[in-house]
Amino acid sequence: MIAEIIAVGSELVNGEKLDTNSQWLSRALGKLGVSVHFHTTLGDDLAENVAAFQVAKDRANLVIVTGGLGPTQDDLTREALAEATGEPLAQDEESLKAIVDFFERRGRVMTDRNRVQAMLPFGSEPLPNRVGTAPGIWMRHGDCTFACLPGVPYEMRLMFEEQVDPRLRALGAGSSVILHRVIPLFGKGEAEIESMALDLTARGRDPEVGITAHDATISFRVSTSGATEAEALARLEPTLAIIRERFGDLVLGDSESVDVPEAAVNELARTHKTLATAESCTGGLIAHQLTKIAGVSEQYLGGVVSYANHAKVAWLGVPDSLIAKHGAVSPEVAEAMAIGARTAVGADIGLSVTGVAGPGGGTAEKPVGLVYIGLADAQGASTRRLSLGAEQPRHVIQSRSAKHALNWVRLHLLKGETGR
Amino acid sequence: MIAEIIAVGSELVNGEKLDTNSQWLSRALGKLGVSVHFHTTLGDDLAENVAAFQVAKDRANLVIVTGGLGPTQDDLTREALAEATGEPLAQDEESLKAIVDFFERRGRVMTDRNRVQAMLPFGSEPLPNRVGTAPGIWMRHGDCTFACLPGVPYEMRLMFEEQVDPRLRALGAGSSVILHRVIPLFGKGEAEIESMALDLTARGRDPEVGITAHDATISFRVSTSGATEAEALARLEPTLAIIRERFGDLVLGDSESVDVPEAAVNELARTHKTLATAESCTGGLIAHQLTKIAGVSEQYLGGVVSYANHAKVAWLGVPDSLIAKHGAVSPEVAEAMAIGARTAVGADIGLSVTGVAGPGGGTAEKPVGLVYIGLADAQGASTRRLSLGAEQPRHVIQSRSAKHALNWVRLHLLKGETGR
């Protein structure tokens, strides 16, 4: 089955909004073994919509349209589908009743334009929408099946899962499953990791292995298909095992939802340790990344954002004289910050970051991108120096500093004392 | 001039990666007065590429292709363009020399596949690439002009600006300018703001006014065109003035780069005040949002992420007994946190947040979504209660809490004492 996804909306094609529905649908269809060959995005113009639907009908046998089902004059999908298939629009009584009910339940006034939402091409089937007014449309025409869904991502996804997915399975989709697994790594560059994996990324290999990089986290994406999910998974497993073995402690976890913060929290949980933080140049980013994780209060006690020097003194007990002697960006201050954070709240581990995030504030001796991270535990404290590059923008220096710092916590716990 | 943008890459059409080039190009073309009517995304299949190029040629007179110019066998844009236009591929000597030079400068070995990158359709013009190996292609064919650019966003953007933009201007683009201005608001819902702006959003009005909502920030987007940027701007101004007047202190600023944190920092800078924060449920998000802003150390001294109760005691001087009596999520503790943060570092304003971000931790009395924010200054302290809805996900509760808290700082400074 070859699929095309069409996103309708002038705000998408003129660049005002980014279409993310098509990517989501490609992934959802991939899981059903349906291969998407085309995405088309176009504006609210009837003739262009009709023509695009005809092009799609000729090159694909499943066409999923998002958007253009609302009540306004800009919403042309019903009309365009009728013209493209040569069927007249007819009122669907059940959909009309659903729309009337929707407004009654909410005590809102229904307009005549809402009535238009129940006009569907003759021979099509309405797809009930339980969270909005617009019904979707399911229509088979010759070799091709159209599924029209609302553009609001939440409504679209729900309707795909509840209405389109079962209908596609009834047409035979899902009989083979395409499965992906992602293994994220941190600690080496993409080129180096790639050079260690040339046998895995070779073309034509099954499972197929791809490498992607996002914000210094390098991910292996391993894909294969099988008659069932279990079969596909069994085919994936040996490759996943090779990657885990070969890349050892670079491996953060076993899904794309794990990045360095999640991996660090997993290690804290495994070893029953608690963490406190002291952040200068990362300005709360580490705390924010940790507290995005639900239930993290077992592992993370809190932290200080010591942007001003006297915040380091007041909250972390860093001596004024130490800052005066070595400067706020120094291994000495990083160490004192880590110890101060740990001690103040009685955490097992104190983690600190101090550096020059830029764009201003750099000197010849301490350029933008110079960052010290400190780690303190019951055995003592130590620091590391990062040189992240003066040409990097502020947010990259902040993000890399946070990743390196939390990755140190992860490795420290993973290796015991040798991780220091 | 009607434009189509084609993004080539199997990783885009199968949903692995999100295409952002097309949106960027739509915006860049819009500034030149070129209207984009279609985006097409497709995989690395020669026949499908040839057919899509032909469809584009018939419905648009400018086709911009991104991707498919690399050295591998997957890179089919050169071949597809040659087939679609009926011209043979020929070696371009200048491009070949540029590729050879590129490898020499870097001391890297050039492969035969790199040589293929200098094969261009006969009659086309290479677009020099000074940051990568692949030259782009500029080709006029009948009524239609093709511009083929690399898929790497950085290379694509640079080449568009240096090579494509001037060529489009030479074809007459840019003789009228489409201009947008964005005014972001915070403090009322989208529906309420929309109902106050029906005269502005009426269809056919010039300048055109649209409303978009992102994470509770509602933005007016005002668009018009003119022969020059100055003329378009003069046409925009009266509408911008009406919006500023009508929405008063809901207005955060005058560009889409301003959201609540930037607006709060602007007010702090205007009034020469400093801020310290104490965050429980927002977990450093406020600190992170503030310290993303370069140069914010003049306004923001630092803060505490007091996730554990004893962090509130140790760093903010909140009495143990107060937490025991009222609970950590209470107006009393919010007030004490704000005062504690302000006092510890000698800031003009202390801002605090304590609440239940969920998904766990809610009770009948203190449900998920209950949040107290506190504000302290030299005159005293006060608190506000937010009910953000138990059904909201954690990250939404965190984000809304941070916005309301920083917006309170903004309004407090804007209105003087009456803002409390």
Side-chain angles (χ1 to χ4, degrees), chain B residues 62-78:
Chain B
L62 173 67
V63 180
I64 300 197
V65 182
T66 60
L69 292 179
T72 78
Q73 291 178 342
D74 288 348
D75 292 298
L76 301 165
T77 296
R78 286 174 295 267

Side-chain angles (χ1 to χ4, degrees), chain A residues 3 54 72 104 145 178 220 239 281 302 317:
Chain A
Q54 281 164 339
T72 77
E104 269 181 9
T145 301
I178 302 177
F220 281 106
T239 302
C281 68

Side-chain angles (χ1 to χ4, degrees), chain A residues 13 15-16 23 26-27 37 39-41 48 74 203 221 283 287-288 291 301-303 305 308 310 315 345 394 398, chain B residues 13 15-16 23 26-27 37 39 41 48 74 203 221 283 287-288 291 301-303 305 308 310 315 345 394 398:
Chain A
V13 82
E16 217 171 290
Q23 182 188 30
S26 277
R27 291 186 175 193
H37 286 222
H39 292 174
T40 299
T41 308
E48 288 178 355
D74 287 348
R203 285 184 67 88
R221 185 179 178 86
H288 168 56
T291 59
L301 303 183
V305 178
H310 56 281
W315 278 325
V345 294
R394 179 180 179 84
Q398 290 183 325
Chain B
V13 82
E16 217 171 288
Q23 182 188 29
S26 277
R27 290 187 175 192
H37 286 223
H39 291 176
T41 307
E48 288 177 357
D74 288 348
R203 285 183 68 87
R221 187 179 175 87
H288 168 55
T291 58
L301 302 183
V305 178
H310 56 281
W315 279 325
V345 292
R394 179 180 179 83
Q398 291 182 325

Side-chain angles (χ1 to χ4, degrees), chain B residues 77-145:
Chain B
T77 296
R78 286 174 295 267
E79 219 172 323
L81 183 60
E83 270 201 41
T85 57
E87 299 288 349
L89 283 170
Q91 184 164 295
D92 182 70
E93 294 307 326
E94 211 161 302
S95 298
L96 183 61
K97 191 174 168 306
I99 295 170
V100 170
D101 284 355
F102 183 93
F103 280 93
E104 270 181 10
R105 274 202 309 280
R106 281 166 181 71
R108 281 164 49 193
V109 178
M110 179 177 154
T111 69
D112 272 355
R113 292 293 320 168
N114 289 114
R115 197 173 288 272
V116 173
Q117 294 185 291
M119 299 292 289
L120 307 182
F122 186 78
S124 70
E125 183 188 343
L127 298 173
N129 181 351
R130 61 182 177 85
V131 289
T133 57
I137 306 171
W138 177 264
M139 185 173 188
R140 307 202 57 172
H141 182 77
D143 279 351
C144 185
T145 301

Side-chain angles (χ1 to χ4, degrees), chain B residues 299-370:
Chain B
Q299 285 80 44
Y300 181 56
L301 302 183
V304 164
V305 178
S306 53
Y307 227 52
N309 281 342
H310 56 281
K312 298 181 180 70
V313 178
W315 279 325
L316 299 167
V318 180
D320 253 332
S321 58
L322 197 74
I323 299 175
K325 186 168 174 198
H326 301 285
V329 179
S330 62
E332 291 80 3
V333 170
E335 185 173 308
M337 286 169 64
I339 293 170
R342 177 178 180 273
T343 311
V345 292
D348 295 309
I349 297 177
L351 178 70
S352 70
V353 186
T354 178
V356 190
T363 63
E365 202 196 336
K366 295 183 179 177
V368 170
L370 174 67

Side-chain angles (χ1 to χ4, degrees), chain A residues 21 65-70 129 134-136 148-153 155-157 159:
Chain A
N21 283 340
V65 182
T66 60
L69 292 179
N129 181 350
C148 304
L149 302 175
V152 179
E155 293 183 27
M156 185 282 288
R157 294 176 187 193
M159 217 190 267

Side-chain angles (χ1 to χ4, degrees), chain A residues 103-124:
Chain A
F103 281 92
E104 269 181 9
R105 274 203 311 281
R106 282 166 180 69
R108 280 162 48 192
V109 178
M110 177 176 153
T111 68
D112 271 355
R113 292 293 321 170
N114 289 112
R115 194 173 291 270
V116 173
Q117 295 185 291
M119 300 291 291
L120 306 181
F122 187 79
S124 71

Side-chain angles (χ1 to χ4, degrees), chain B residues 390-408:
Chain B
E391 76 289 356
Q392 296 287 350
R394 179 180 179 83
H395 71 94
V396 171
I397 291 173
Q398 291 182 325
S399 163
R400 293 295 145 79
S401 303
K403 282 202 170 180
H404 280 286
L406 285 172
N407 196 49
W408 191 9

